Every structure is written in C-alpha cells, then in structure tokens.
Amino acid sequence: MNKHELILKIKEAFTSLNSDAPALDTAWVMGQVEEYVKSLQPAKEVIPRAWAEYIERRRDIGSKDDEIIYEASIYLEISFDDGSYDRFIKAVVNGYEVEPEKKYLLPIPSAFNDDINAGLHRYASRQTNGLPGDYWDTSEPIFKSEAQDKPNLFITQRQIDSAPDWVKALKPVEVKEDED
C-alpha cells in the first residue's frame, strides 16, 4: 500500500462511522489507521547470526549505517550476484531478525550389544556446572526417542566447530523442532 492508498483507506473508514457512538468510532478508526500504517512498513529481513553480530559490533563502536554497509563485503560472505548484499542492506536499514540456529544431537557410537542395553545411546553434551569454560562430556545412556526431549543435549553448529576433535568426529543429527 502506498501513501495515496492509505489516505483513501482512512477516508473510507471515516465515512463508515456510526454517529451514535463517537468514542467507539474513534477507537475503531484509530485501530484501522494503525493496521494501515503497519502495512506500509517494510518487513524485517531474516539474516544469519554472523551478519547480526557484525552489525551489532559496528553499531557498538558508533558506525553509521552507510559505513556498516560499505565494509560488509570485506568481512562477510555476501555478494551482489546472489542478492545477499541487497538483503544485508535491507537488514541494516529496515531492521532484522536472526535466523534460528539449527540444533543437533551428537550420538556416540554404542558398544551396547546385549539385550538389556539394546536401543540405548549416549550423546555428546556440553557441561557448564557454573564454572568458567564449558567442557564436553557424554550423557547417560538413553533411548533415541528420549533424546529429542532433552534440550541440554542440543548442540549448535558453532559449538561443534569450536569443540574438541572427538566431538567433531561425531555425525550430527538435526533436531526437528515442534511447530505449535
């Protein structure tokens, strides 16, 4: 919707007023105007976390939007050819939301072959225990179906990338988020 269409919509809203209840009419028209104005605002871009972190770092040191945009192609994997530079510009100017990071489970190959432990698996997990510096450990043996319900076992790609070699050697399994 453009400015002219907005004006026509507002005029249309005013012509449909019921003079018996001016307070309700005013509230309704204001609600309509708010919705119309929202439709004029550009949508926020959904961008990778690395882009968002770059933008925030630059803003923290006082960079203006044009400076952030100008140097972005040097520090980020964006280009004119695939449209990512255009998306980046829109994110800086219109605002952005960060893409949700994929989460993974890291099953550890099992040596359980007996009947009692059949179907049990261990998973690599990050532990903090409130101390500085996280460390990697293995979970208690659990069934695969239980692992999807244990967010403490969910690992992001960035965590895997900074993990020890034994963790990087594990094959990640993407966690499917429930869409409610």
Side-chain angles (χ1 to χ4, degrees):
M1 179 182 314
N2 62 32
K3 182 179 173 182
H4 179 68
E5 291 170 330
L6 174 62
I7 292 169
L8 290 175
K9 288 274 193 185
I10 293 171
K11 284 181 181 178
E12 184 181 301
F14 274 110
T15 59
S16 66
L17 295 178
N18 177 359
S19 61
D20 294 339
L24 290 176
D25 287 344
T26 303
W28 181 80
V29 169
M30 292 308 293
Q32 292 295 103
V33 169
E34 187 176 325
E35 289 301 312
Y36 298 148
V37 169
K38 282 182 186 175
S39 72
L40 291 174
Q41 297 171 339
K44 291 183 177 183
E45 283 292 317
V46 178
I47 62 172
R49 182 170 304 282
W51 292 12
E53 289 172 352
Y54 172 79
I55 293 168
E56 292 307 314
R57 261 194 326 272
R58 294 301 305 265
R59 287 195 172 141
D60 286 347
I61 61 170
S63 297
K64 294 182 174 48
D65 287 354
D66 60 334
E67 296 168 327
I68 294 170
I69 293 167
Y70 179 73
E71 294 183 353
S73 62
I74 299 169
Y75 299 105
L76 299 174
E77 293 181 19
I78 60 175
S79 82
F80 294 101
D81 299 334
D82 65 4
S84 58
Y85 195 78
D86 199 34
R87 281 184 55 224
F88 182 79
I89 292 170
K90 289 177 183 175
V92 171
V93 175
N94 300 330
Y96 58 86
E97 294 177 9
V98 179
E99 288 175 350
E101 283 188 282
K102 289 183 181 179
K103 297 198 169 59
Y104 301 94
L105 290 168
L106 297 173
I108 297 172
S110 178
F112 297 132
N113 292 324
D114 56 26
D115 290 338
I116 295 172
N117 294 311
L120 293 175
H121 298 273
R122 290 185 185 268
Y123 295 85
S125 63
R126 249 172 132 219
Q127 306 293 321
T128 58
N129 293 342
L131 302 172
D134 296 348
Y135 66 94
W136 289 86
D137 201 356
T138 60
S139 70
E140 293 298 316
I142 59 174
F143 292 102
K144 280 184 181 181
S145 59
E146 294 174 325
Q148 289 280 342
D149 298 327
K150 297 198 178 283
N152 62 317
L153 297 179
F154 298 172
I155 308 298
T156 65
Q157 186 61 52
R158 284 193 305 159
Q159 291 171 325
I160 294 170
D161 293 342
S162 65
D165 289 340
W166 72 269
V167 174
K168 290 178 185 176
L170 300 172
K171 183 179 178 191
V173 175
E174 187 174 345
V175 174
K176 300 296 180 195
E177 297 287 331
D178 290 336
E179 295 183 19
D180 296 328

